[in-house]
Amino acid sequence: MRVVIAEDSVLLRTGLERMLAGDGIEVAASVGDGEALLEAVRATRPDLALVDVRMPPSHTDEGLRAAVRIRAELPATAILVLSQYVEEHHAVNLVAGDARGIGYLIKDRVAYVEEFLEAVRAVAAGGTRLDPQVVAQLLNRRRQGGPLSALSPREREVLALMAEGRSNAAIRAELGIGTRAVEKHVTAIFAKLRLPDSEADHRRVLAVMTYLRHR
Amino acid sequence: MRDWARAAAYLLLGGPLGALWWGTLTCGVLAGVLLAPLWIGVVFLALTAVALRLGGRLERALARHLLGAEIAVPYRPWPDGLRAQASTLLTDPATWRDLLFLLLRLPVAGAEALLLAPVAVGLTLAGLPVRAVLTEGDVTARFNGRRLFTVDELSSLPYALAGAALLVAVAYTVGPLGRAHRRLAESLLRPTAGSRARRLRTALDAERGRRAATLRIAAAERRRLERDLHDGAQQHLAGLALDLGMALRAMGDDAPEARRLVAGARDQAVRTLEEIRTLARGLHPAILAEQGLDAAMSALAGRCPVPVDVRVDCPHRPPPEAETVAYFVVSEALANVARHSGATGARVTVGCARGVLVAEVRDDGRGGARAGDGTGLAGLRDRVAALAGSFTVDSPEGGPTVVRAELPCGS
């Protein structure tokens, strides 16, 4: 697996390089701004781009804009965006119609190396990972009395994990419940929200995101 | 007595000063007009203008010190640039009122000089006994060479008394004359109502400008701090957390105590990151600058544990200062909703129309919120007031609570 890193903090960049290399992931290039990221991705065609949102020159959302362009030019490139602040709008811009091979995590997650590397591999393999904080934002910003209030607390937990991009097996492990129970909850959620059920995790994320955004 | 002496001095100065003003101003203007084809004419006119201003200032000072008049300086602020200065000088009503006052000085002093005649007569009569004693004989009073009467030491006394009475009578006119001069000076040299209003407006505009500049500087400073935090402490802490995570991974299971310590250090680094993030958001919300009010309000609502309905209707983007204050109003109000209100739901409404940005947070909680001193709400009131906006908290016992800010946004 080959990765391009875009991160303007040298400290964090070298840390990430070491972390990935230590886990047998090849770092094809590491750069410090959005333009350089685009060039590196075009030149090296990596499996995944690890992108910081705020980079020079404007220090606003260079990384995000570069990610959207990579998405359009080279859709096979998986993208994992890291940010000091997670905002649902960023997540929505990123996913924009296809949640496959997209990740959006708050920077703190790099401290939990095993989980972080798992997320890198999952996203590179076409999965989706949204930070629990983004999902919490999406779930909180809801009107009262809508279909979401019909969900049981357990179903809300399952919905949140689905929105993060977790598979049924991961949800089972996270909540410590059986396979049948997870399936039952997922079916109930899709029925209550009137969403088309889907086995593919990334399509599930998209359905849930779309639902949460446009209700 | 001292007032009398001052008023008398003022009256006595009237003649020479009036002559000086007439001389200076008429000569200056004449020279200026006659020499106008040459550049030197302009110099004369400028010098005349300077003399006029100086004259006005001197007369104002005299009226203040000798007559006790209360006169504020009426002139408009002196601009930069010759053209603007000339225009200010010509359009300022104070210029022409000064001119009128200076030109009136001579004729008024001329009229007052008539009083010198009774003074002379009084002095002459009062001096008769002295002259009689000095000459040891009769004294003959004459006028224009004609003999009027002859008196000796004794018979001159009634004349002397009459002369003294005449002098006292003249002395009594000094007070009323001084007061009349004071009224004249006050009515002409003072700022007019219009010019006072104009001065106030100018001062107010300047004050508004200073305040806006202060707010801009403060906002820029907050942005800079936020950026320093982001590029410095936050990145370093993230790097530190990453390194601690890597160390934990490399350690293996044979040193459980060390593992525990490193894991604790990593968790602490992550918690500190969260705290700095909250701090940075309070300084300058990155999402507001990046995405605008709608996205920022949604993000605030997303972080609130109580479900929040968000409605933002702003066709144009308000100025950043207004936007930022609206953001903090909603942020603080939602924090109160979560902490104190016991509400099960809240609604955020933000709209801009007719140059006013309105931000309102309404919840269905128990009410009783106060914007007292030292609370977050009081701080908001100050921030809103700094933008000349209005801030209200309506929170009867039993609810609902409505926090509302209206901010001028100049569109």
Side-chain angles (χ1 to χ4, degrees), chain A residues 125-143:
Chain A
T128 307
R129 281 291 177 277
L130 291 186
D131 199 279
Q133 286 196 15
V134 182
V135 175
Q137 281 183 29
L138 284 166
L139 283 174
N140 273 348
R141 197 179 74 90
R142 287 313 111 209
R143 333 279 187 255

Side-chain angles (χ1 to χ4, degrees), chain B residues 14-366:
Chain B
L17 277 177
L20 176 65
W21 301 145
W22 268 94
T24 315
L25 297 174
T26 48
C27 290
V29 171
L30 262 178
V33 171
L34 291 178
L35 297 173
L38 309 170
W39 63 270
I40 195 94
V42 180
V43 174
F44 272 104
L45 286 177
L47 285 175
T48 313
V50 171
L52 175 60
R53 274 287 155 103
L54 284 177
R57 284 177 190 283
L58 178 67
E59 287 288 5
R60 218 169 269 111
L62 283 177
R64 209 157 33 226
H65 292 300
L66 297 179
L67 302 177
E70 307 248 343
I71 304 175
V73 176
Y75 305 121
R76 286 183 193 165
W78 200 234
D80 291 329
L82 272 179
R83 192 177 289 267
Q85 284 169 351
S87 148
T88 299
L89 192 72
L90 290 175
T91 56
D92 192 344
T95 304
W96 306 106
R97 295 162 68 86
D98 275 7
L99 182 64
L100 179 61
F101 183 85
L102 296 185
L103 295 181
L104 274 176
R105 269 299 240 166
L106 191 62
V108 169
E112 282 161 356
L114 296 177
L115 281 174
L116 289 176
V119 169
V121 171
L123 283 174
T124 309
L125 291 178
L128 284 175
V130 180
R131 282 170 66 195
V133 168
L134 288 177
T135 54
E136 291 178 4
D138 293 351
V139 177
T140 302
R142 295 166 197 277
F143 184 70
N144 270 0
R146 244 186 309 155
R147 286 183 48 198
L148 292 178
F149 50 81
T150 305
V151 287
D152 58 18
E153 286 102 325
L154 209 61
S155 62
S156 68
L157 282 179
Y159 289 101
L161 281 176
L166 191 58
L167 285 176
V168 170
V170 170
Y172 269 101
T173 64
V174 168
L177 277 174
R179 282 195 286 282
H181 270 282
R182 190 171 86 183
R183 275 195 293 280
L184 179 68
E186 283 180 347
S187 64
L188 282 179
L189 296 181
R190 226 178 217 181
T192 59
S195 77
R196 266 201 303 276
R198 204 187 155 99
R199 277 181 87 83
L200 277 176
R201 265 201 307 280
T202 314
L204 193 63
D205 285 348
E207 189 51 45
R208 284 208 183 110
R210 271 194 295 278
R211 194 177 57 189
T214 309
L215 287 172
R216 268 198 304 279
I217 291 166
E221 195 60 10
R222 280 200 298 274
R223 270 198 300 281
R224 192 186 63 75
L225 276 172
E226 191 271 344
R227 171 133 173 225
D228 286 355
L229 273 180
H230 180 273
D231 295 346
Q234 282 179 312
Q235 303 284 33
H236 287 117
L237 265 173
L240 172 67
L242 188 153
D243 285 350
L244 287 169
M246 297 276 285
L248 197 61
R249 197 164 184 247
M251 281 173 93
D253 295 331
D254 50 338
E257 179 62 11
R259 274 191 74 87
R260 203 180 55 75
L261 284 170
V262 174
R266 175 199 52 190
D267 293 348
Q268 209 167 310
V270 170
R271 267 198 303 280
T272 312
L273 260 178
E274 272 161 19
E275 277 166 21
I276 293 184
R277 188 172 296 127
T278 310
L279 177 68
R281 205 177 264 128
L283 284 172
H284 176 71
I287 183 163
L288 183 62
E290 233 176 74
Q291 311 257 351
L293 274 173
D294 197 352
M297 294 296 166
S298 298
L300 280 179
R303 279 192 291 277
C304 184
V306 176
V308 181
D309 184 3
V310 178
R311 275 169 213 183
V312 178
D313 181 19
C314 278
H316 307 291
R317 221 172 145 171
E321 297 90 357
E323 238 181 26
T324 308
V325 172
Y327 174 90
F328 284 115
V329 165
V330 172
S331 169
E332 183 63 30
L334 284 180
N336 282 334
V337 169
R339 274 199 299 265
H340 312 300
S341 74
T344 59
R347 169 180 294 177
V348 172
T349 317
V350 177
C352 345
R354 291 180 290 281
V356 180
L357 172 63
V358 179
E360 188 183 278
V361 179
R362 177 187 294 266
D363 70 48
D364 60 1
R366 66 176 78 94

